[in-house]
Amino acid sequence: QVQLVESGGGLVQSGGSLRLSCVASGITFSVSTMGWYRQAPGKQRERVAFIFNTRTTFYADSVKGRFAIFRDNAKNTVYLQMNSLKPEDTAVYYCNNGNHWGQGTQVTVSS
């Protein structure tokens, strides 16, 4: 059974930082492309960042230079380091391995 469990969300002031974690089980993590998505109220879910098994990364333009995705294959965990947070980053953040979704973690950035 595949499980993706996110954590690390919370309430932070504008300009602050958070680190999200996603622990995966039931998959061969080391060969998996892992990604983070987010969905704000009333908006469609959007891609935020991806990391391939080669550790090549992709970022949405809106987060480039502020967010960093990295992985620890020994811990089956993918991280999203979020710096210089803005109110428009407020959303539920989801982990995805291409086929499965986590339950999401809420990030709220106050102005």
Side-chain angles (χ1 to χ4, degrees):
Q1 181 182 359
V2 178
Q3 278 195 312
L4 302 175
V5 181
E6 302 99 333
S7 62
L11 173 64
V12 65
Q13 288 188 331
S14 181
S17 298
L18 284 174
R19 178 178 291 187
L20 306 183
S21 301
C22 171
V23 180
S25 58
I27 64 172
T28 306
F29 183 83
S30 62
V31 301
S32 297
T33 297
M34 300 299 298
W36 288 96
Y37 287 72
R38 67 185 181 187
Q39 188 166 17
K43 295 188 176 181
Q44 287 190 328
R45 193 170 296 189
E46 63 175 355
R47 295 186 301 179
V48 176
F50 281 86
I51 183 165
F52 298 92
N53 62 335
T54 57
R55 299 184 187 273
T56 299
T57 56
F58 157 87
Y59 296 96
D61 287 344
S62 58
V63 306
K64 277 182 184 175
R66 300 188 298 121
F67 290 12
I69 186 171
F70 56 101
R71 64 194 298 159
D72 184 338
N73 289 341
K75 295 182 178 180
N76 282 11
T77 302
V78 61
Y79 302 92
L80 185 68
Q81 177 66 43
M82 306 186 295
N83 300 324
S84 301
L85 282 161
K86 304 174 181 181
E88 51 263 43
D89 295 317
T90 295
V92 178
Y93 284 71
Y94 297 91
C95 180
N96 178 272
N97 75 328
N99 295 306
H100 300 88
W101 295 94
Q103 83 286 352
T105 186
Q106 175 71 48
V107 171
T108 303
V109 184
S110 63
S111 57

